[in-house]
Amino acid sequence: MTDESWNIFGNIIYSPVPPLDLGIEYMYANRELENGAADNLQKIQVSAKYKF
């Protein structure tokens, strides 16, 4: 059973030229079990969108 868990994330979207959006997101998560075992997760996602 999970004793404690939490996560935090942030993202940025940048538009270098009007039809193009570039994005990046970072996530960090932590989980601790009742028996004391713990682990974490780190994830990075990127995106690009072209509007036409």
Side-chain angles (χ1 to χ4, degrees):
M1 301 295 280
T2 299
D3 185 38
E4 177 182 339
S5 68
W6 56 269
N7 64 42
I8 187 168
F9 61 93
N11 62 33
I12 296 174
I13 298 175
Y14 173 61
S15 298
V17 292
L20 181 63
D21 292 338
L22 303 174
I24 187 165
E25 179 178 76
Y26 174 75
M27 181 179 106
Y28 182 86
N30 190 10
R31 178 180 178 197
E32 185 174 327
L33 301 179
E34 289 178 350
N35 67 3
D39 207 354
N40 62 41
L41 168 75
Q42 297 181 55
K43 179 172 87 170
I44 296 176
Q45 282 185 187
V46 295
S47 65
K49 179 172 85 171
Y50 186 80
K51 297 174 267 189
F52 55 95

